[in-house]
Amino acid sequence: MTLEERIDLAETRVCTTVFPFLTNHHDTLFGGKAMAIMDEVSFMAATRFCRKRLVTVSSDKINFEKAIPSGSIIEAIARVDSVGRTSLKVKVEIYLEHMYEEGRELAIQGMFTFVALGDDKKPISVTEGLNII
Ligand SMILES: CC(C)(COP(=O)(O)OP(=O)(O)OC[C@H]1O[C@@H](n2cnc3c(N)ncnc32)[C@H](O)[C@@H]1OP(=O)(O)O)[C@@H](O)C(=O)NCCC(=O)NCCS
């Protein structure tokens, strides 16, 4: 399998409805909840890519481009963006869909970096053992 094919297979999409337990006092998606969703969906994509134990080591700039109102549907899409020796970066986008309108728009985007750890909790190669051609 090529690197690009493995990245395609690992792409992860998670949809959720923005119910009140996710919102702030503006009645829009709370930024901290959005970041938790992004961390989790990017973690799933990274894990599916390398099938190793991962920890989040950093998040790059997260852009909140559009407020997401309560009662919307959101879709978080995570895709491996680059692969290092022991780390990999995952791009995450959150799309906003209004329930009773067609179409969707990009609302939030960011990048998360994960490091693969061995049994001794030290970084290990993310690609070791993968049959990438
Ligand atoms: C992840 C951890 C083991 C890395 O330790 P470390 O001593 O920095 O490891 P290294 O210096 O060998 O770096 C390992 C890789 O991480 C990358 N890295 C380290 N810090 C980074 C940062 N702040 N941002 C982006 N990449 C980083 C390095 O570039 C290296 O990548 P590469 O091998 O692909 O080139 C350590 O920082 C840690 O345990 N952090 C806590 C993780 C955690 O608790 N997360 C929250 C819960 S999941």
Side-chain angles (χ1 to χ4, degrees), residues 40-108:
E40 187 175 354
V41 69
S42 57
F43 170 77
M44 286 191 271
T47 301
R48 292 165 109 186
F49 174 82
C50 69
R51 298 294 176 188
K52 295 187 171 62
R53 291 182 186 82
L54 296 171
V55 287
T56 310
V57 71
S58 77
S59 62
D60 293 4
K61 185 176 170 196
I62 295 176
N63 287 321
F64 294 88
E65 290 162 18
K66 297 219 178 307
I68 299 178
S70 179
S72 314
I73 294 169
I74 55 172
E75 183 175 14
I77 304 175
R79 184 177 173 85
V80 172
D81 185 75
S82 62
V83 180
R85 196 183 74 76
T86 65
S87 69
L88 71 174
K89 287 187 185 293
V90 180
K91 184 176 184 187
V92 196
E93 295 173 329
I94 292 189
Y95 287 86
L96 157 65
E97 258 180 67
H98 297 288
M99 279 197 197
Y100 310 114
E101 292 171 21
E102 300 294 344
R104 63 181 196 164
E105 52 192 335
L106 182 62
I108 309 174

